[in-house]
Amino acid sequence: MIPIRQARVPNLNPRVTSNEESSFEPRWPSEIEVLNEPRIKHINIPPSQPEYFYKPTTDHGPFVRSFDENNGRTVYNYNPETSGYFVRSRVGGNREGCRSAAVSLQNTEDTTVLFESRFESGNLMKAVQVGEFDYELYLRYDLYTKRNTQWFYFRLQNIQTDKRYRFTIVNFFKSTSLYSSGMRPLLYSTEDAENKGIGWRRWGEEIVYYKNNLLAPDNTTNMYSLTWTCKFPNNNDTYYFAHCYPYTYSDLQDYLNEVQTDRFKNEYCKQKVLCRTLAGNFIYMLTITNATPPQAINICSPSEHQGKKGVVVTARVHPGETNGSWMMKGLMDFLLGDSADARLLRDNFIFKIIPMLNPDGVIVGNYRCSLSGRDLNRNYKTVLKDAYPSIWHTREMVKRFMTETELVLYCDFHGHSRKQNVFVYGCENKNAPNERLKERIFPAMLSKNDPSK
């Protein structure tokens, strides 16, 4: 079996040059600067206890001053110059490489934090130092837009363990957040990952989400801030902060490559490239089902042989909702496993799975949009095949699938910045009285299986 990273696929996007056709590396807009550094690896260890929400030790939050950028010193600044719309892509992004975006340390006594986010799924536009250990941070808007800030993922260096730092992200759009309910940012220490086997963990105290004095780009509404304080465990370490557990396009590529090279899973899991995105990244589709035994073909009529029902599952149409990818990974792990339930499902259903609908947005660190600057989740009726290729091809695939078998479920995995636990949205059948409330059956089944969620 040929590993998926070595397989050749046709060039489905005229924006991608022929010499890049066989490359499986992430493709970036050509004006974006990308650091050529090793990426961090997740440590897949089940947590010993649930992630409890942060509970403030006092009734009053910390003092948060009004926004005034002039009070500080810019220590990191990277806002890519774009033409206003996506033009072309290349592996590695900008051909000229990366300029210096952070300040240089003056001497060994300089305590300035060194920020960086020019890596896959990274998002930080600017860092302003407003105190020796106090920083205000600006997130980059989704590329080719002036909106959608929620996802953050950035790196920090030159940290001291005996100091308490404050970080304040100042340009959120949403008026409420789970951070107001006690959710914590995520921290990753490269030293603890290498030496102690500790990966991402919730971190931070004195967490407050509040309205600030910064006007949104439309100059009509105020923006919102998230502030937290923390100490760090190690000197001379490299740290990362993120909004949710990152799951990059390269993480997906690694996972699919492992599946592709497993000869047992290949018996019931077939992978194909559904299409290419605007930047030329691959939209993968998996078909998971058990082959009908030869003896069953002999004793079954054609209609009985074709009696499997269909299920379509997609994820990551919104790139900043990484929890959707982790849900999808859990589903794929289960369906590709050897449990009796998994075998029973593969015997009775054909699963069509598209694990990442918006890899372009995932790669560049967008929160909601693709490189079209639009929310793909609002364009399922589109006829613009070239502008929204993953949505157009997914819809056409579903149409074809419905001519081959009865489709009993379509489920799209998302995340939410304000809802807790697990929840389900459904499409009401207002124009089909006989179908009324049918969309509630699957959520009801879920709630019966695990009422605590």
Side-chain angles (χ1 to χ4, degrees):
M1 184 61 65
I2 300 175
I4 196 167
R5 286 192 182 278
Q6 299 175 6
R8 292 186 60 84
V9 296
N11 188 345
L12 301 175
N13 192 322
R15 295 177 177 83
V16 182
T17 57
S18 58
N19 62 340
E20 290 183 327
E21 181 179 337
S22 60
S23 173
F24 285 82
E25 296 302 314
R27 294 183 171 86
W28 301 70
S30 57
E31 64 265 42
I32 303 300
E33 297 178 5
V34 185
L35 292 170
N36 184 19
E37 296 181 352
R39 57 192 176 91
I40 64 173
K41 294 286 188 179
H42 288 276
I43 297 176
N44 295 317
I45 299 177
S48 58
Q49 60 185 13
E51 289 185 347
Y52 294 107
F53 275 12
Y54 164 74
K55 293 183 179 180
T57 55
T58 63
D59 293 334
H60 302 284
F63 172 75
V64 285
R65 68 180 183 79
S66 298
F67 168 84
D68 183 1
E69 182 182 348
N70 296 324
N71 288 346
R73 174 176 72 115
T74 299
V75 296
Y76 177 81
N77 191 11
Y78 176 64
N79 190 14
E81 297 180 3
T82 64
S83 60
Y85 53 87
F86 173 73
V87 177
R88 66 179 300 273
S89 69
R90 69 182 296 271
V91 173
N94 189 329
R95 196 177 296 273
E96 281 72 42
C98 290
R99 62 180 174 83
S100 177
V103 297
S104 300
L105 298 179
Q106 299 301 309
N107 50 56
T108 57
E109 304 300 319
D110 193 337
T111 60
T112 304
V113 175
L114 301 178
F115 292 88
E116 187 55 79
S117 68
R118 290 172 292 178
F119 47 80
E120 192 174 357
S121 294
N123 187 325
L124 179 65
M125 182 173 67
K126 183 163 62 174
V128 178
Q129 185 179 23
V130 296
E132 186 176 6
F133 304 103
D134 191 349
Y135 295 86
E136 291 187 345
L137 312 177
Y138 298 73
L139 304 181
R140 177 182 50 74
Y141 304 112
D142 281 7
L143 282 181
Y144 316 113
T145 78
K146 288 294 184 183
R147 59 189 185 277
N148 302 317
T149 50
Q150 189 71 36
W151 168 255
F152 60 87
Y153 183 21
F154 55 87
R155 189 182 74 192
L156 309 91
Q157 293 175 313
N158 198 40
I159 296 291
Q160 299 184 25
T161 58
D162 59 341
K163 303 299 181 181
R164 178 166 290 275
Y165 293 79
R166 178 184 297 283
F167 303 100
T168 305
I169 299 174
V170 301
N171 64 332
F172 285 117
F173 280 78
K174 294 184 177 181
S175 59
T176 59
S177 169
L178 281 176
Y179 290 111
S180 298
S181 303
M183 188 173 79
R184 286 174 163 174
L186 282 158
L187 177 76
Y188 186 98
S189 158
T190 56
E191 182 177 325
D192 286 349
E194 293 172 2
N195 300 330
K196 300 179 180 179
I198 300 174
W200 289 98
R201 49 189 157 168
R202 297 290 176 181
W203 205 259
E205 297 83 32
E206 298 182 297
I207 301 166
V208 181
Y209 192 89
Y210 64 97
K211 185 177 183 179
N212 64 36
N213 293 338
L214 175 64
L215 287 178
D218 61 9
N219 290 320
T220 61
T221 58
N222 283 82
M223 306 204 79
Y224 294 82
S225 291
L226 166 67
T227 187
W228 72 95
T229 67
C230 66
K231 286 188 172 182
F232 293 88
N234 311 307
N235 280 316
N236 302 315
D237 197 355
T238 296
Y239 297 98
Y240 296 82
F241 271 118
H243 172 60
C244 191
Y245 295 88
Y247 192 98
T248 66
Y249 178 65
S250 294
D251 290 331
L252 174 64
Q253 297 260 45
D254 289 346
Y255 181 86
L256 295 182
N257 194 47
E258 292 175 5
V259 173
Q260 184 79 358
T261 54
D262 187 310
R263 62 187 184 91
F264 297 105
K265 293 178 181 178
N266 263 282
E267 294 179 1
Y268 46 82
C269 177
K270 305 302 178 184
Q271 300 182 30
K272 65 173 289 187
V273 174
L274 183 67
C275 64
R276 288 200 188 223
T277 64
L278 288 178
N281 293 298
F282 298 131
I283 301 293
Y284 296 101
M285 183 177 73
L286 283 65
T287 302
I288 300 176
T289 191
N290 280 342
T292 303
Q295 62 272 22
I297 297 177
N298 296 327
I299 62 175
C300 293
S301 67
S303 60
E304 290 172 322
H305 177 50
Q306 299 172 2
K308 289 186 178 182
K309 300 185 186 300
V311 175
V312 176
V313 189
T314 58
R316 215 60 188 278
V317 70
H318 292 147
E321 297 172 5
T322 58
N323 30 15
S325 279
W326 290 107
M327 291 277 287
M328 176 62 82
K329 181 181 182 301
L331 173 66
M332 292 189 294
D333 286 344
F334 174 74
L335 291 177
L336 296 173
D338 197 37
S339 68
D341 285 343
R343 293 195 300 270
L344 181 65
L345 287 170
R346 295 196 302 263
D347 284 340
N348 290 276
F349 295 93
I350 301 171
F351 293 89
K352 298 285 187 180
I353 292 179
I354 301 176
M356 191 171 286
L357 282 166
N358 190 356
D360 290 352
V362 170
I363 289 166
V364 302
N366 280 1
Y367 172 56
R368 197 167 183 87
C369 295
S370 73
L371 296 183
S372 66
R374 300 298 178 87
D375 184 346
L376 297 182
N377 200 47
R378 299 293 183 267
N379 286 278
Y380 278 97
K381 295 182 179 180
T382 185
V383 296
L384 302 177
K385 177 181 177 181
D386 292 335
Y388 311 106
S390 63
I391 298 302
W392 191 93
H393 282 276
T394 297
R395 188 185 65 200
E396 296 304 304
M397 179 276 292
V398 172
K399 288 180 180 178
R400 291 192 303 271
F401 195 31
M402 292 176 68
T403 66
E404 300 166 359
T405 189
E406 179 187 355
L407 182 62
V408 296
L409 177 68
Y410 178 101
C411 189
D412 188 31
F413 290 166
H414 286 254
H416 206 287
S417 64
R418 291 175 282 192
K419 282 185 175 292
Q420 300 183 25
N421 299 319
V422 179
F423 57 94
V424 180
Y425 286 114
C427 300
E428 292 184 85
N429 291 294
K430 294 181 178 179
N431 298 322
N434 294 335
E435 300 291 315
R436 185 172 179 269
L437 304 183
K438 189 175 180 180
E439 70 277 358
R440 300 189 184 188
I441 295 175
F442 183 63
M445 294 167 63
L446 291 177
S447 68
K448 293 294 184 182
N449 276 280
D450 192 348
S452 66
K453 298 297 186 294

